[in-house]
Each structure stands twice: as C-alpha cells, then as structure tokens.
C-alpha cells in the first residue's frame, strides 16, 4: 500500500496562542520574543508582521525598526507547552503513528486510515477543524508519500493550508521550487548550489550522485534522495531525551562572578528538578559559556557516580566555570548547564554514603514544596540574589528570553 504521511504545523504558534488569550491582538503585527529594545530575537511573528519582513531569529531591534507599530510580547513558555500538549493529544486521537517534532509540529502516518475518514484529505480537514474548535488555532497540513515532501507541502500551504501531493507526483511537485525550500538546505548550501547554477530542486535532482558527493560529502547522498522526492524514513514515536539543559543570556555582558554563580545555581536546580521528575540520573555535566564576542565554549566533566542532586550538579558546574574563567578574560554573554549520559534512577545510590542519602532526601523535600508552591518558593541563599534581577511568575524566574524560560 502506498504510504500517506502527514506533516502538521501550527501557524505562528507562540503569537497565535497569545491572540487566543487576547483577541484584540488578532489581525495585527505581533511579535513574541521580548521588548523591542531587548537583546533577544523574534521567536514568532504574526503573518501581518511578516509582510514587513519580520522573521523568526531576527534581532528584536531590527524587527522594531522594520515595523515600529508591531506589538511586542514577552511570552511565557508554560502556556505554549500546555497548548502543545493539547495539540499533540488531538493528533494522537487520529493515529498512534505520531512523531512530534518540537512543540508545534508533528508527522503522522495515515496509511490505511482513508477508509475511516473517506480520504486522507478529509482526515486532515477533520484534524484541522478539531484544532480550530478546541484550541482556536490554525494548522497547516501537507500530505505526501514521505516526510520530506509532506513537510515542504505544509510549509508551502501556510497559513491555514491543506496540500496533498498525489502518490508518484513527489518529484514533479518539488521540481520548480527554489533549493532553499528543501529542509536541510541552509544558507551555506544554498549559496554553494547557486554558485553551481543550481537554483531549483528540479535542477538539483538531475545532478549526479557522484557530483553531489564530491561537493557535499556524505550529505550529498541525502540531498540526492530528497531532491528526487525519495524519503523512506518511518514515522517514529520519539525516543526518550538523552540529555537536559538550561541556559540564559544576560541583559548585559558580565564579569560579576557572584551573578554567574547564582545563575549557574538556579539553572542547575532546574536541570536537577527535571532529572528527578523524569526518574533519571546523569553521569556527565556540561557547562556552556558564550563570551561577549560570541565565541561559545562547552566544558564537560564525567562523574565517578551518577547523580540527580542539585548540589553535585552545581559543584561540578562551578568547578568547570572557575577553570573556564581563569582561561578567558572576556565578559560572559550567556551561561548554561546541562547533564547527559542519563540512566534510570533505580537504586544506584550507594547507601553507605550517608551524605548522599541526606542530599537525596533534601532534594525530594524541595521538589515536593516546589510542586505545591512554585519553583521560587524555596531557594538557596545563592539564587535569592537573582530576585533583584529577574521577574518571578510563580513557576520560577523569567530569564532573558521569557517565551523560552522553563
Ligand atoms: P515555527 O513553526 O518555525 O514558527 P511559527 O509557528 O511561529 O510560524 P509558522 O506559521 O511559519 O509555522 O516554530 C514554532 C514555534 O517555535 C514558534 O512559534 C516560536 C518557537 N521558535 C523559537 O522560539 N525560535 C525560533 O527561531 C523558531 C523558528 C521558533
Ligand atoms: Mg509553526
């Protein structure tokens, strides 16, 4: 049976959630990302804002210059996470073969579901209707024989679109489109292709495999398949995350060690809470720093024993931070901490080690209080310092990029 793969992506997701909450924002140029003079970037722009050239990833200062009348919203991650969960739950009602990609998009394998809904097209229309009725959001859906063409189709149909590419028509559907439309082709690859006078996907599909490999190495083969509309990748339920991390950009580049430490402590506690909630322990701790000139470094440390303790995450991160700062004189723009090499928590704790046991009990008690009263209800002396710097919203501090603070 020919495969029918759907790609579903919500339109202007963060902005649309804000518009549902506050209908006065509908039909206007709206940006979620932060204050217009802030240092962040546009996370999401309404389609009205896009007519002024605004795009995700654009510095907010540029956005406000191009469109001074735009309404800038800080946003709030928990709200988008909730909407995302409700969106995914609707999709799961239609097919168990579901692969979420980030918050607002997913692939769904609809092969064999035609008879239930009349056609795959009608199934997609029903999905869109439920998203509209229950969330007040519009989605765009692409349908094709494989993931890559389904995704190109949904993007092409935006906003509020529905585009089906008939079986066998994948290659001719892609042919007239510019190469940049093919997912995976970034600015660099696009420029290189254009310099070879390859401007359309059709032209790309006629390039020989050996020529593509000589220009792009191993990814040349993938380019060749995708340009020809060939994509056998299955729709797979997501594997459990293999790592977790938190990071933030400072309002001003800083050399203040005590601020760096406090922020590291706070981010480390969020990572620790995340680990414990998922019943995991980690063996590897990674510190990330971005300096004023945008140079970014990561430093990792592998522990002798796995951990889920805030104290160990912080102590290890602090060791890495002190070492990094002794090697570099520049001010710090961004700091982050993460854990990886995760294992099931189980009973790996060395029970002879009473200090480890005490730490575990302490972390559990803290998690319980936070669950009930919010993350900042209980704090170490170190993170209290952040009170003067970052706003709180009950769920925790709102760091530099509010729409992504979690
Ligand atoms: P997208 O689906 O790429 O963008 P979108 O939903 O805002 O707009 P479109 O109609 O084109 O799909 O990303 C989904 C959300 O992810 C977006 O609303 C905000 C967030 N996001 C960022 O935070 N930073 C980014 O650079 C991008 C691209 C998205
Ligand atoms: Mg989207």
């Amino acid at each position: 049976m020919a495969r029918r793969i759907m790609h579903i992506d919500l339109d202007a997701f963060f902005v649309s959630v804000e518009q549902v909450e506050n209908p006065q924002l509908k039909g206007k140029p709206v940006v979620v990302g932060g204050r217009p003079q802030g240092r962040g970037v546009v996370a999401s722009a309404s389609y009205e804002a896009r007519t002024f050239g605004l795009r995700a990833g654009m510095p907010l200062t540029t956005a406000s210059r191009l469109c001074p009348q735009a309404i800038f919203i800080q946003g709030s991650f928990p709200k988008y996470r909730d909407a995302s969960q409700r969106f995914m739950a609707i999709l799961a009602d239609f097919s168990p073969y579901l692969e979420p990609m980030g918050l607002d998009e997913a692939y769904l394998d609809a092969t064999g579901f035609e008879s239930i809904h009349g056609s795959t097209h009608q199934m997609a229309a029903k999905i869109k209707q439920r998203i509209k009725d229950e969330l007040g959001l519009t989605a765009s859906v692409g349908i094709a024989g494989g993931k890559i063409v389904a995704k190109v189709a949904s993007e092409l149909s935006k906003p509020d679109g529905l585009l089906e590419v008939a079986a066998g028509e994948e290659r001719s559907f892609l042919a007239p489109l510019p190469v940049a439309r093919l997912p995976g082709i970034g600015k660099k690859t696009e420029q290189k292709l254009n310099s070879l006078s390859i401007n359309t996907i059709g032209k790309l599909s006629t390039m020989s495999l050996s020529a593509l490999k000589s220009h792009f190495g191993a990814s040349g083969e993938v380019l060749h398949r995708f340009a020809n509309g060939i994509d056998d990748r299955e729709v797979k339920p997501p594997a459990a995350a293999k790592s977790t991390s938190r990071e933030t950009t400072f309002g001003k580049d800083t050399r203040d060690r005590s601020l760096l430490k406090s922020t590291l402590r706070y981010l480390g506690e969020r990572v620790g809470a995340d680990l414990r909630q998922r019943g995991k322990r980690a063996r590897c701790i990674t510190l990330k720093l971005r300096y004023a000139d945008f140079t970014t470094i990561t430093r990792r440390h592998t522990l002798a024993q796995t951990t889920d303790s805030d104290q160990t995450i912080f102590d290890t991160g602090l060791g890495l931070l002190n070492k990094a700062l002794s090697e570099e004189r520049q001010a710090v723009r961004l700091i982050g901490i993460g854990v990886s090499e995760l294992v099931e928590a189980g009973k790996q704790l060395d029970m002879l080690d009473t200090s480890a046991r005490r730490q575990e009990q302490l972390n559990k008690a803290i998690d319980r209080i936070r669950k009930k009263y919010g993350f900042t209800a209980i704090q170490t002396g170190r993170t209290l310092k952040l009170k003067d710097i970052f706003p709180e919203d009950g769920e925790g501090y709102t760091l530099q990029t509010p729409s992504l603070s979690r």
Side-chain angles (χ1 to χ4, degrees):
M1 188 188 293
R3 294 202 307 159
R4 289 283 82 192
I5 307 298
M6 271 186 210
H7 180 260
I8 306 121
D9 188 305
L10 298 174
D11 303 321
F13 176 46
F14 286 8
V15 165
S16 303
V17 171
E18 298 296 337
Q19 288 171 325
V20 170
E21 193 176 275
N22 178 4
Q24 285 187 336
L25 297 171
K26 284 192 178 153
K28 295 185 179 153
V30 178
V31 168
V32 171
R35 276 170 284 116
Q37 302 316 324
R39 307 214 310 162
V41 294
V42 173
S44 179
S46 68
Y47 279 78
E48 290 77 8
R50 290 182 206 193
T51 62
F52 294 87
L54 272 55
R55 295 287 177 272
M58 177 182 274
L60 290 165
T61 44
T62 313
S64 72
R65 186 160 40 76
L66 290 175
C67 183
Q69 68 272 45
I71 300 160
F72 289 83
I73 297 173
Q74 307 255 357
S76 134
F77 189 79
K79 224 162 35 185
Y80 311 140
R81 186 184 45 210
D82 289 350
S84 172
Q85 283 167 355
R86 293 170 61 204
F87 164 59
M88 296 296 173
I90 292 175
L91 299 184
D93 271 355
F94 282 86
S95 167
Y97 308 109
L98 180 66
E99 183 175 345
M101 310 287 297
L103 288 174
D104 85 325
E105 67 178 295
Y107 291 103
L108 189 150
D109 191 336
T111 315
F113 285 68
E114 305 81 345
S115 52
I116 307 175
H117 301 283
S119 67
T120 318
H121 195 278
Q122 277 176 290
M123 176 176 170
K126 285 186 204 169
I127 291 177
K128 278 167 59 81
Q129 194 59 47
R130 269 198 62 190
I131 294 169
K132 179 106 220 155
D133 292 345
E134 293 175 29
L135 303 178
L137 301 175
T138 60
S140 295
V141 183
I143 309 168
K147 285 178 169 179
I148 200 83
V149 177
K151 184 170 169 76
V152 174
S154 77
E155 271 168 20
L156 216 60
S157 77
K158 274 181 172 291
D160 201 10
L162 170 45
L163 183 55
E164 176 162 16
V165 179
E169 299 291 317
E170 282 79 10
R171 195 165 182 270
S172 55
F173 165 75
L174 293 176
L177 303 174
V179 288
R181 279 279 175 189
L182 205 59
I185 296 194
K187 266 268 158 298
K188 262 205 184 134
T189 310
E190 182 191 6
Q191 279 165 4
K192 194 157 168 190
L193 285 169
N194 289 346
S195 74
L196 298 164
S197 334
I198 308 288
N199 300 305
T200 63
I201 302 179
K203 194 90 185 281
L204 179 62
S205 73
T206 62
M207 260 180 104
S208 75
L209 184 54
S210 57
L212 276 169
K213 273 187 172 166
S214 76
H215 285 294
F216 301 102
S219 53
E221 195 174 332
V222 183
L223 277 181
H224 190 261
R225 259 188 284 127
F226 286 1
N228 281 283
I230 301 166
D231 181 6
D232 301 326
R233 290 174 302 159
E234 278 176 43
V235 173
K236 279 202 293 269
K242 292 193 171 67
S243 64
T244 181
S245 63
R246 294 289 188 278
E247 63 182 48
T248 189
T249 306
F250 292 106
K252 263 199 345 240
D253 298 343
T254 184
R255 286 191 168 78
D256 178 349
R257 284 211 177 212
S258 127
L259 172 61
L260 288 167
K261 280 187 199 172
S262 304
T263 311
L264 186 68
R265 172 79 206 188
Y266 177 71
L267 296 171
E269 287 179 14
R270 306 265 357 177
V271 167
D274 201 11
L275 262 184
R276 292 189 295 277
Q277 201 210 333
R278 289 161 43 189
K280 303 276 190 204
R281 298 169 63 84
R283 184 173 295 284
C284 189
I285 315 278
T286 303
L287 171 82
K288 176 174 171 184
L289 291 176
R290 178 168 299 143
Y291 294 106
D293 72 351
F294 275 83
T295 321
T296 307
I297 61 151
T298 56
R299 296 284 182 264
R300 53 188 277 160
H301 179 84
T302 304
L303 300 162
Q305 282 193 326
T306 60
T307 189
D308 64 0
S309 140
D310 292 347
Q311 194 61 42
T312 308
I313 294 169
F314 173 66
D315 289 343
T316 311
L318 185 58
L320 294 168
L321 176 66
N322 285 334
K323 186 151 187 301
L325 293 179
S326 71
E327 291 163 1
E328 177 61 62
R329 297 261 154 267
Q330 282 194 70
V332 173
R333 177 181 175 87
L334 168 150
I335 188 167
I337 186 160
V339 293
S340 56
E341 293 185 30
L342 307 189
V343 296
E344 292 300 324
K347 282 207 181 4
Q348 283 129 63
L349 201 62
D350 181 357
M351 279 305 169
L352 292 174
D353 183 347
T354 48
S355 91
R357 196 166 18 177
R358 215 175 298 130
Q359 264 192 36
E360 189 191 48
Q361 282 163 353
L362 176 63
N363 283 323
K364 271 198 182 137
I366 291 176
D367 289 342
R368 269 198 304 274
I369 295 170
R370 284 180 167 165
K371 199 160 175 213
K372 214 160 163 187
Y373 301 108
F375 200 88
T376 38
I378 182 162
Q379 300 201 42
T380 54
R382 207 176 270 296
T383 61
L384 267 177
K385 179 184 158 67
L386 302 175
K387 244 184 162 32
D388 304 331
I389 304 172
F390 299 117
E392 284 172 76
D393 72 352
E395 285 236 23
Y397 286 120
T398 298
L399 301 180
Q400 206 51 39
T401 310
S403 62
L404 299 177
S405 286
R406 63 198 163 110

